[in-house]
Structure formats: structure tokens, C-alpha cells
Amino acid sequence: MGEYLARIGGELAYKPLDRALLAAVVEQAVADAPVADLGCGPGHVAGWLAEHGVRAVVGIDLSPAMVATARRAHPACEFREGDLLELPAREGEFGAAVALYSVIHLEPAELPTAFAEFRRVLRPGAPLLLAFHVGTEIRHLTEWWGHEVDVDFHFHQPEAVLAPLREAGFTVTATMQRAPAPQEAETQRCYVLAHRARD
């Protein structure tokens, strides 16, 4: 996991759009509530949020090794082990959430459950930022950066994400796509900025 952190831990330095969208989330977050990084990996996005005005950041990831790496790298943040389909968080705990390239580990049929969980843990009006790879393919890796793995990457068509997101109780504010940066895998990327509907 240290190699994973070394390879992607500084990626926001060459992702100006990501930084701008994260800054928008920080600005729109419900006051006096933690911000969640859902599928946080090694914690670099959580760390960025903590460095840019968020007083309490909670990262959640399924991998115990990722959580351990994130805790070492970003001690100012809290990290929890947990599944996107059953988040270890209280109802309405968070004032905003980001999920950058974490829903790519979910099958399309799992998205409604995940988005219902996202809504459950967010306060009314809280922003949610999603990012994912565009397409319909599934990439299965058995080797990654010299290590044996068993992981699937699900590409999603935008409407296949937007429809269950709306059905879960989110208002979509903006969507956009971009081409890959030179340092990235050659995939089209989509961003969705949404807000949890007010009850």
C-alpha cells in the first residue's frame, strides 16, 4: 500500500479540475459537520480537504491496509473501515461527501444501494461529488504495479449513475467530462456534483 500511496498520493497536483471541484464542495458543505471521503484509498483526498479548510474529515475504505496507510500518512483525519453499501456512519453525520473513483468498484446493480447510503449519512442540502470512468466495460486486474491483486473496475455510463442518484434523493447540480491527463490511464472521466434533497 505504500507504493500505491507513492504513485497516487500526489495526483491532485496535476488535476486542477479535481481541486476546483473539491474546493466547491468545501465551500458548499453544511457548517459544523464532518466531510466524508467515501472510498478514500490511501487518504490523499481526505488530506487535501483537511489542508483546505475542513476541520473534520472522515475517510472510509473497505481495505484495512488502505485505512492503515491513510492513518499513517494523514494523522489529522479520521479513517474507518467500511463498505459503501453499508457505511459505518450515523444518519446525517456528514455535511458533504466526495467519492472519487470509488463507485467504479461497484456493479451497476449496486449503485442504488450505495446512493441510498450516501443520502442516509448526509445532512439535507449537503453536496456530493462523484467521479468515475465512462463506459460499459469491466477491467479485471490480477497484477497491479508489481503486486498480485484481484480487483474489478466497472466503467459507468453517466445516465446509469445519474438515474439511481436522483432516485435516491439527490438533485444533480452539474455534470462534466474530461479527457485523461498525460499521467493517467487513457479513459474518459465523468464528474457529478449533486446535493442531498432537503426533507
Side-chain angles (χ1 to χ4, degrees):
M1 295 304 166
E3 183 174 355
Y4 191 90
L5 176 62
R7 286 179 178 268
I8 73 165
E11 67 176 352
L12 289 174
Y14 60 81
K15 292 186 174 184
L17 180 58
D18 293 54
R19 297 196 306 271
L21 289 169
L22 288 169
V25 169
V26 172
E27 184 174 339
Q28 297 176 45
V30 176
D32 301 320
V35 173
D37 181 5
L38 305 176
C40 65
H44 59 297
V45 174
W48 189 96
L49 292 169
E51 293 169 0
H52 290 81
V54 180
R55 287 183 293 177
V57 184
V58 178
I60 299 174
D61 200 273
L62 184 63
S63 166
M66 283 291 188
V67 169
T69 297
R71 285 172 176 161
R72 288 192 299 269
H74 303 283
C77 303
E78 177 188 348
F79 294 97
R80 305 173 187 171
E81 294 178 27
D83 193 324
L84 295 181
L85 304 178
E86 192 175 354
L87 291 168
R90 301 186 306 277
E91 183 174 341
E93 181 173 353
F94 302 121
V98 301
L100 302 187
Y101 306 102
S102 53
V103 299
I104 63 173
H105 299 297
L106 299 177
E107 298 179 10
E110 295 176 311
L111 292 177
T113 300
F115 295 157
E117 274 292 275
F118 291 7
R119 184 185 191 280
R120 180 183 68 80
V121 302
L122 283 170
R123 297 189 181 184
L128 168 68
L129 176 63
L130 300 174
F132 54 92
H133 301 288
V134 176
T136 57
E137 68 177 293
I138 302 172
R139 293 189 183 180
H140 178 73
L141 295 186
T142 57
E143 186 274 337
W144 197 10
W145 295 331
H147 298 276
E148 289 186 9
V149 296
D150 181 15
V151 63
D152 288 331
F153 295 87
H154 294 266
F155 290 42
H156 299 290
Q157 291 288 12
E159 191 53 42
V161 173
L162 296 175
L165 190 63
R166 292 187 178 106
E167 290 169 4
F170 286 90
T171 300
V172 176
T173 307
T175 65
M176 63 192 76
Q177 295 188 34
R178 70 165 174 85
Q183 303 94 326
E184 296 177 312
E186 295 185 2
T187 65
Q188 188 77 1
R189 288 115 197 287
C190 182
Y191 299 85
V192 177
L193 181 62
H195 290 77
R196 183 201 185 280
R198 298 182 183 275
D199 297 328

